[in-house]
Amino acid sequence: MIKEDCIFCKIANGQIPSNSIYEDDDFNVILDVSPASRGHALIVPKVHYDNAYGMDETFAAKVFPLAVKMAKAMKKALDCDGINILQNNEEAAGQTVFHFHTHLIPRYKDDEVDVTWKQHASVAEEQIAITKQIKEEL
Ligand code: AMP
Ligand code: ZN
C-alpha cells in the first residue's frame, strides 16, 4: 500500500526523482539528501510501513539481505573503513520520516559521524526481570 502525502512512498515509486543506486520490485535504495557521510544511503520499501512494527515477517526478511548486498558494493565503491546499518522506529528513537527505511552510513576513519551512546552498568535482578517481561510478549 502507498500512503497519500508520504514523501518516501513517492520517492520509492519514482514519482519524485532521487539518486537511486538500486531498485527492484520491493525497494528503492537512494542517497540520503542530507548525508551523515559520503555515500549515506537509505533502503526504502515501495510499500508503506510507518516503521518496523507493522511489517510482516516475509517482507522484513527481505531487508537485511539487501542491506548486506548494498554494504558490500558500497564498501568497494567508496573505499570506506566501515558501514553502520541502522534503522529508527518512532520519534523517541530518532525517526523523522515515518515511512520505514534502513540507513547505510559509510564510515571513514576519524569522521565525526555520531551514532554512539553512553553505556551504563546493568543490575543483575533487573536484567532477569527484563528478560522475563520481553519473553512473555513473544
Ligand atoms: P530518520 O531520522 O531515520 O527518519 O531518517 C530520515 C532520513 O531521511 C534523514 O537522514 C534525512 O536526511 C533523509 N531524507 C529526508 N528527506 C529526504 C529526501 N527527500 N530524499 C532523501 N533523503 C531524505
Ligand atoms: Zn510511505
Side-chain angles (χ1 to χ4, degrees), residues 3 6 8-9 48 99:
K3 189 177 175 190
C6 171
F8 276 15
C9 279
H48 182 92
H99 174 126

Side-chain angles (χ1 to χ4, degrees), residues 1 14 22 50 53 58-59 76 85 92 98-99 122:
M1 289 265 276
Y22 174 83
D50 287 344
Y53 318 135
T58 309
F59 195 87
K76 279 192 192 163
I85 300 173
F98 297 93
H99 174 126
S122 60

Side-chain angles (χ1 to χ4, degrees), residues 95-138:
Q95 187 176 9
T96 59
V97 176
F98 297 93
H99 174 126
F100 175 94
H101 53 279
T102 303
H103 292 262
L104 298 158
I105 305 178
R107 300 299 302 273
Y108 304 91
K109 196 171 180 304
D110 299 327
D111 69 25
E112 292 184 351
V113 177
D114 187 6
V115 288
T116 59
W117 52 86
K118 279 193 195 139
Q119 293 185 295
H120 305 278
S122 60
V123 177
E125 297 75 34
E126 199 188 5
Q127 297 287 76
I128 290 165
I130 293 165
T131 303
K132 187 168 173 286
Q133 278 173 348
I134 296 172
K135 282 178 140 179
E136 281 171 3
E137 296 298 334
L138 291 170

